[in-house]
Amino acid sequence: MTTTAPDLRKVTPPAKAKRGGGVMGSTGLYIATGIAALLFLIPFYLIIRNAFMADPEITGEEWKWFPTDIQWGNISEPFDDVTVDFARSLWNSVVVAVLHTTGILLVCSLAGYGLARIPYRHANKVFYAVLATLMVPTAVTFVPSFVLVSSLGWVDTYRGLIVPGLFSGFTCFLFRQYFLGFPKELEEAARVDGLGYWGAYWRVVVPNSLNFFAAMATITFINGWNSFLWPLVIGQDPSAWTVQVALSSYMTNQTVNYHLIFMATAISILPLLFVFLFLQRWLVQGIAQTGIKG
Amino acid sequence: MSTATTHKVAQPASAKVSKDRPRRGLRASSTFNFWLFTGPFLIGLVIFVFVPIGWSIYLSFFEARFTVTPSDFVGFDNYKQILTDTDFRNSLVTFTVFAAFIVPATWALSLGLALLVNQLRFMRAFFRSVFFLPTACSYVAAALIWKMSIFNGVRFGLANTVLSWFGVDNVAWLANPDPPWYWLVIVTVRLWLQSGFYMILFLAALQNIPRELYEAAAIDGAKQGWQTFRYITLPQLRATSTAVILLLLIAAYQAFDEFFNLLGKATWGQPPLVELYKMALGENQNYGAGSAGAVVLTLLICIVTLFQGKIMGFGRGEESK
C-alpha cells in the first residue's frame, strides 16, 4: 500500500532519537489518558452507586453522584427476591464456567498438541477441517445446535449448557499455534528418557506451559461466565438459568426494581473482577500471544 | 500402517508404551498417538459442529414447524420465505449499518488507547488495566447499565442529566427509531466493552516495532508525531490491523446480547441473530426457515471471511512443522 522513507536503511542508527514533548507534552498526555480512563470507569461506578442507593434517589429529579444514605441492606435483596432464584443462577454459572473451562482446556489442548507435533499422514486434512469451523461462528449454528441438543434430551441440563461449547475450533487453533512454538528440545529429551508422546505431554509439555494454560483458562472462564445466547436458548426452565439469563430477565419484568437489578449486576461481575485482578498478567500475555500479532 | 490394529491397544500407561515402541514401528505409534490426542476433540467437533451444520442444511429444505424430524420436502421455499421476509432483510441492513459504525470506531479507539498507553512512562500498567477492565463485564450487565442508568429516556439517566445542564430536553434514546438515537446506545456499549481487548493486541504489536526504525527516521528529520505515525507505526501495524478488523467483523456478525437486551421488544434495529432466535425459538418454532436463515448467514460470513483471508492470508500458517 504505502512505501515509505526509502532511505531508512542506509542510515546507521547511532544517535538516540529525540523524544518530543518534555514536560508540557507529557502533562497533556496524562490529562488525555486520565479523562479517557474516567470515562471507562464511570459505568462501573454507576453500578456500585445504584446498587447502594434507594430507588427514589436513583430515579429522583436531582442527579446525585453519591448516595445520601448507603443502603447496606440492598446486598441481600437479589437473594430474597422470590420471582428469580438468583442464588441458584449464580451456582449454575459457577458450575458451567468451571466445567466449561476445565473441559475446553483439556480437549482443545490435547488436540492442538496432536495437530502441532505428532506426525500423521492426514494431519493437514484434519487441520483444515478444524480451520473450516472457524469460519462458521458458533452463534450462527445455535438453531441446529439447539435442535440437536433438544433431541438428545439435554435441554435444561448442565450437559446441554456445557458439552456443545467444548469443541472450540478457535481454542484448538490457538493451542496448536502455541505448541508449534514450544521448544522441541525439551520433548526430545523426554523421549530419549523413555517417555511416549502421552508421558512427554503430561510430564514435560504441560508443566512447562502453565503460563499459556493460565492465560487460556482466564479467557475461557470469562467467556463462559459471560455467555448469554446459548444459556438463554438451553435454559428454558428458570432452574437452569445462568446468572446472565437471570439478569436479562430482570429487564423484562413488569416492575423495575432499580437497586435490586444493579446489586445483582454488581454481584455477577464480582467473581470476574476477582479473576481479573489476580490473573491479569496471564490474561494480557495470553491475548498478546494469540498468534495474530504482527 | 496397521491403523486398524493400533486402535485396539489399551490406554497406554506412559512407561509401558515407550518400552515396546521400537518393536511396533514409529509410524503406527504416531498414528495411534495422533488419534489419542485429537480423537476426543474431533469426535465432539463432528457431533456438535458438523452434524448441526448438516442438519441445518437438511432442515432448511423441509417444512419444519415445532418438529425436528420433518417429512414435507419444500425445496427452496424456506429460502424464498426468508429472503423475502422484510424483518430478515432489515436485519441484514441493520448488521451492515452496525458494522459500518462499530468496526472503524473500535479500530480507531483501541489503536488510540494503545498509542496513549504506550507513550506513558509512569502508571502504564494502571491505565492499561483501566481500559482493559470492561472485558470482564458481560454484554448483559453492560446493557443493563446503559439502558437503565446512562441512556434512560427520562431525566434521571446520566446522558439526559448531562444534556439538561446545557438546557437540552430529554431524549428518548431507545424508545423510537426516528431519530435513530438507539445507534448511539448500541455502538457505545460495544465500544466500551471491546476496545480494551483490541488495545492489548495493538500494544503487543507496538512493542514489536523495532526502535531503530524510529531512530533512523529521527535522523532523517521526520517529525515526531504525525509523520512517524503515518510512515512507520501504521505500516508496521498492518498485519495486526487487518486481523483486528477481521475479528471485529466476525464479532459484529454475532451481535445478539446487547441488541436483545436493549431493544428486546422493539421492531427496529434487530440484527440477524435476534431475528433467527425469534423465528426458531419464538412462538412459531419454525426450524425450517430459521435453518435457512442460518445457512444464508453462514454463507455470507464465509464470503466475507474468505474475501478478507485473500487479502491478508489469515490462518495460512507460514510456520512449518
Side-chain angles (χ1 to χ4, degrees), chain A residues 4 30 40 47 50 63 115 118-120 137 139-140 144 146-147 180 194 196 203 226 244 248 261 272 280 287 294, chain B residues 14 18 21 30 34-35 52 68 121-122 129 136 138 144-145 149 156 192 197 231 240 254 261 281 298 319 321:
Chain A
T4 56
Y30 275 90
F40 268 68
I47 303 177
N50 294 353
W63 178 265
L115 286 169
I118 304 179
Y120 172 55
V140 172
F146 174 73
V147 168
L180 283 175
R203 295 203 206 161
N226 283 343
Q244 307 298 340
S248 172
I261 293 178
L272 281 198
Q280 210 203 67
I287 290 169
Chain B
S14 49
S18 53
R21 170 178 301 102
S30 50
F34 182 83
W35 289 108
V68 294
R121 270 177 238 175
F122 316 104
S129 305
S138 75
L144 271 164
I145 310 164
S149 204
F156 66 84
W192 181 71
F197 182 87
Y231 292 110
T240 306
Q254 303 200 55
N261 285 301
L281 297 158
T298 308
E319 68 289 321
K321 288 194 173 185

Side-chain angles (χ1 to χ4, degrees), chain B residues 15-318:
Chain B
K16 262 188 222 159
V17 167
S18 53
K19 254 184 216 159
D20 46 3
R21 170 178 301 102
R23 262 182 280 139
R24 267 215 319 260
L26 258 176
R27 172 148 316 169
S29 153
S30 50
T31 302
F32 167 75
N33 275 296
F34 182 83
W35 289 108
L36 178 69
F37 276 80
T38 58
F41 175 77
L42 290 174
I43 292 168
L45 198 68
V46 167
I47 295 177
F48 291 103
V49 179
F50 285 104
V51 167
I53 293 172
W55 201 333
S56 185
I57 295 170
Y58 171 81
L59 279 177
S60 72
F61 292 108
F62 283 83
E63 170 73 32
R65 284 173 201 268
F66 301 105
T67 174
V68 294
T69 47
S71 50
D72 292 344
F73 182 81
V74 293
F76 283 93
D77 279 7
N78 283 327
Y79 287 90
K80 256 180 237 156
Q81 187 196 330
I82 194 106
L83 289 173
T84 53
D85 185 90
T86 32
D87 285 344
F88 187 73
R89 281 197 312 210
N90 283 341
S91 76
L92 293 177
V93 174
T94 300
F95 163 72
T96 312
V97 175
F98 179 55
F101 278 119
I102 197 68
V103 174
T106 312
W107 179 85
L109 181 62
S110 52
L111 176 58
L113 291 176
L115 289 169
L116 272 182
V117 172
N118 198 42
Q119 300 246 323
L120 298 178
R121 270 177 238 175
F122 316 104
M123 293 170 69
R124 182 192 282 205
F126 169 77
F127 281 112
R128 192 193 61 193
S129 305
V130 169
F131 297 131
F132 189 43
L133 203 57
T135 307
C137 200
S138 75
Y139 276 92
V140 183
L144 271 164
I145 310 164
W146 254 246
K147 185 180 184 173
M148 304 208 146
S149 204
I150 300 179
F151 290 104
N152 203 305
V154 285
R155 175 59 56 85
F156 66 84
L158 178 60
N160 278 338
T161 303
V162 171
L163 286 179
S164 75
W165 295 341
F166 300 97
V168 180
D169 279 343
N170 285 356
V171 177
W173 298 100
L174 292 161
N176 61 66
D178 190 34
W181 285 118
Y182 65 91
W183 278 120
L184 186 70
V185 186
I186 293 272
V187 169
T188 48
V189 72
R190 185 171 274 240
L191 210 51
W192 181 71
L193 278 166
Q194 69 181 9
S195 294
F197 182 87
Y198 295 100
M199 174 198 71
I200 299 288
L201 293 181
F202 277 123
L203 264 179
L206 281 173
Q207 277 153 18
N208 277 349
I209 301 177
R211 276 194 80 92
E212 293 81 44
L213 285 180
Y214 292 103
E215 286 161 2
I219 291 163
D220 281 3
K223 289 192 196 83
Q224 280 279 312
W226 175 246
Q227 278 195 343
T228 47
F229 175 72
R230 170 78 179 77
Y231 292 110
I232 297 177
T233 314
L234 213 48
Q236 288 284 320
L237 290 179
R238 201 190 299 158
T240 306
S241 280
T242 24
V244 164
I245 289 168
L246 177 74
L247 291 174
L248 284 173
L249 267 176
I250 291 177
Y253 249 121
Q254 303 200 55
F256 178 85
D257 301 10
E258 76 268 47
F259 285 89
F260 182 87
N261 285 301
L262 288 169
L263 295 168
K265 285 170 187 148
T267 50
W268 57 88
Q270 299 292 2
L273 283 186
V274 175
E275 286 303 332
L276 290 183
Y277 176 84
K278 285 183 185 164
M279 205 174 294
L281 297 158
E283 285 159 20
N284 288 325
Q285 301 223 345
N286 192 339
Y287 296 122
S291 298
V295 172
V296 170
L297 208 55
T298 308
L299 285 178
L300 281 174
I301 295 175
C302 286
I303 292 167
V304 173
T305 317
L306 286 175
F307 183 71
Q308 263 259 335
K310 256 230 140 62
I311 298 171
M312 58 182 274
F314 186 71
R316 289 290 150 78
E318 58 274 32

Side-chain angles (χ1 to χ4, degrees), chain A residues 4 55 124 131 149 158 183 212 240 264 267:
Chain A
T4 56
D55 268 13
N124 262 340
L131 272 191
V149 166
Y158 285 142
F212 189 74
I267 294 171

